[in-house]
Amino acid sequence: HHSDQQQQKQSPKKMKTTAVLATAAVATLSVLSSPVSAADCEVCIKVMQDVRDSMDKADVKSKPKVEAALGTYCSSDNLGPREKKICYYIDPIKRDVAQPFSTGMPVDRVCKRIDKTNSEICGVKFPVKTEKLEPKDLSKLRVKQLKSILADRGVECTGCLEKDEFVKKVQETEHLAGTDEF
């Protein structure tokens, strides 16, 4: 009988350790996947969120006020180059943006909706931060992502066919990273 009780005492402790490990594994995974899968529409989503945050809750439902808030946001001086690009695209279609926006649609859905009008909108992405990436992380990227990193640096990988050639080129042009100029 005595040994039965001991085993019962032991098991909750074991389960706790497993749970902690599982959580840690999930956390590690999400950290790994974030720099790689740059969200579609990420710049648009940031712009929409910033605009929504700048407005009074009551005003969000009013289309003219949404259009005005978009105008105010886009005329601000401290926008980054990516945000300016989104503003350039949404300026002519402010009304199409204000419509779903005013219904309280989540910002990512607003962006996907207007992306149908102008497919450039979701194409605007923040530059992939590569400085922190280890060579082995680079090789996890898809060739398309490697190409866009190089494009962000104004570099072309001429004659590159193999993925590891792109990886090498990204490493060689590391010094060009971090300048976020167009």
Side-chain angles (χ1 to χ4, degrees):
H1 267 305
H2 192 63
S3 65
D4 270 357
Q5 272 182 332
Q6 262 183 334
Q7 274 176 337
Q8 278 175 345
K9 269 199 189 115
Q10 228 177 347
S11 55
K13 202 174 211 166
K14 254 195 190 139
M15 279 170 62
K16 218 177 213 153
T17 328
T18 323
V20 170
L21 283 174
T23 319
V26 170
T28 322
L29 275 177
S30 58
V31 169
L32 280 175
S33 60
S34 56
V36 176
S37 60
D40 284 335
C41 311
E42 55 179 0
V43 182
C44 173
I45 289 170
K46 177 185 183 291
V47 169
M48 293 304 151
Q49 195 55 58
D50 287 350
V51 171
R52 188 165 279 177
D53 292 344
S54 75
M55 298 179 70
D56 288 334
K57 283 268 183 290
D59 291 349
V60 172
K61 293 187 172 50
S62 145
K63 280 181 273 192
K65 288 198 168 138
V66 172
E67 288 185 45
L70 285 166
T72 309
Y73 175 84
C74 286
S75 58
S76 120
D77 289 333
N78 50 10
L79 289 184
R82 303 290 191 286
E83 288 87 343
K84 282 201 182 93
K85 210 169 187 185
I86 289 291
C87 283
Y88 172 77
Y89 291 138
I90 60 179
D91 190 54
I93 55 167
K94 272 203 200 94
R95 201 152 280 160
D96 300 344
V97 179
Q99 168 51 45
F101 196 103
S102 64
T103 63
M105 185 185 276
V107 285
D108 54 335
R109 301 251 317 274
V110 172
C111 289
K112 293 219 161 56
R113 163 84 54 97
I114 56 178
D115 186 59
K116 292 191 175 83
T117 313
N118 180 347
S119 59
E120 300 286 326
I121 286 173
C122 284
V124 182
K125 293 188 166 52
F126 292 112
V128 184
K129 294 275 173 279
T130 54
E131 301 82 57
K132 319 274 179 306
L133 284 181
E134 299 291 313
K136 62 176 192 308
D137 293 333
L138 282 176
S139 58
K140 284 190 197 129
L141 295 175
R142 296 206 294 278
V143 170
K144 192 173 161 192
Q145 292 167 312
L146 292 167
K147 279 183 179 164
S148 82
I149 293 171
L150 291 171
D152 269 334
R153 298 179 183 171
V155 179
E156 202 153 315
C157 198
T158 324
C160 293
L161 300 170
E162 297 300 318
K163 184 173 173 179
D164 49 11
E165 294 174 307
F166 286 104
V167 170
K168 200 165 149 239
K169 189 73 168 178
V170 167
Q171 289 167 317
E172 284 167 4
T173 56
E174 204 59 78
H175 59 285
L176 299 171
T179 53
D180 193 10
E181 293 302 316
F182 273 108

